[in-house]
Amino acid sequence: MYGIYDAVNRMINDRFTPPEPNIQSISGRIGATGSNYIMTGGTDGYIRYWDLATASKCYTVSGLVTTQPRPIYESVDFVGATGSTVCPSKLFLCRQMPMPKLDEMESCKVPQKLHRGLVRPENHHKDAVLDLKKIDSPIKGLLSCSRDGVIKLWR
């Protein structure tokens, strides 16, 4: 009986405990000239644009909830070793800020978004983003698809 309890408890925890986010899809352009970027989609349902030259130009395309604070993007320079050669590298980070608790905020600091009546529905993937494709014809945009079968076009 003890083994069944553990198995059921593990199934419930696995089902309701979200996994650590990881990247499922990458799309981008890296070249010798022009702007170099990468777009990523992952298990957290976020689509992120990474400008490989400047961290301040990185942003979250989709996935943020209306009241969620914007993440902070930063780059860290470090020297990595590849075999016998030493090469300078950059590590790009996205730090998601925690949601502020309303009871800890002064009423004048509550975001205006929480004071309005009707709110536009969220327009992001509800499940893991599995693939990203940049399209140029017939219109410019980004196609994304998620594990729940939803395909979205971002302009």
Side-chain angles (χ1 to χ4, degrees), residues 3 7 33 41 51 98-99:
T33 60
D51 185 305
M99 295 278 287

Side-chain angles (χ1 to χ4, degrees), residues 19-127:
E20 287 294 316
N22 61 48
I23 295 174
Q24 294 289 324
S25 58
I26 295 178
S27 177
R29 185 176 78 92
I30 301 174
T33 60
S35 63
N36 296 320
Y37 68 90
I38 293 177
M39 297 195 76
T40 61
T43 57
D44 55 3
Y46 285 48
I47 299 173
R48 293 180 177 93
Y49 172 86
W50 303 87
D51 185 305
L52 300 179
T54 311
S56 63
K57 292 182 182 177
C58 299
Y59 59 91
T60 302
V61 175
S62 165
L64 290 176
V65 179
T66 319
T67 58
Q68 192 173 3
R70 300 223 179 267
I72 296 172
Y73 289 88
E74 59 186 305
S75 67
V76 178
D77 293 325
F78 68 96
V79 177
T82 312
S84 61
T85 60
V86 176
C87 56
S89 300
K90 274 190 182 180
L91 174 67
F92 284 85
L93 303 171
C94 173
R95 296 184 191 272
Q96 185 61 52
M97 299 290 104
M99 295 278 287
K101 295 181 181 168
L102 290 179
D103 58 345
E104 295 175 355
M105 298 175 70
E106 298 174 30
S107 63
C108 64
K109 304 250 186 200
V110 174
Q112 284 292 337
K113 296 173 190 170
L114 297 180
H115 288 291
R116 14 178 218 186
L118 296 175
V119 178
R120 191 176 95 184
E122 302 293 340
N123 189 22
H124 57 81
H125 286 288
K126 308 288 190 257
D127 205 347

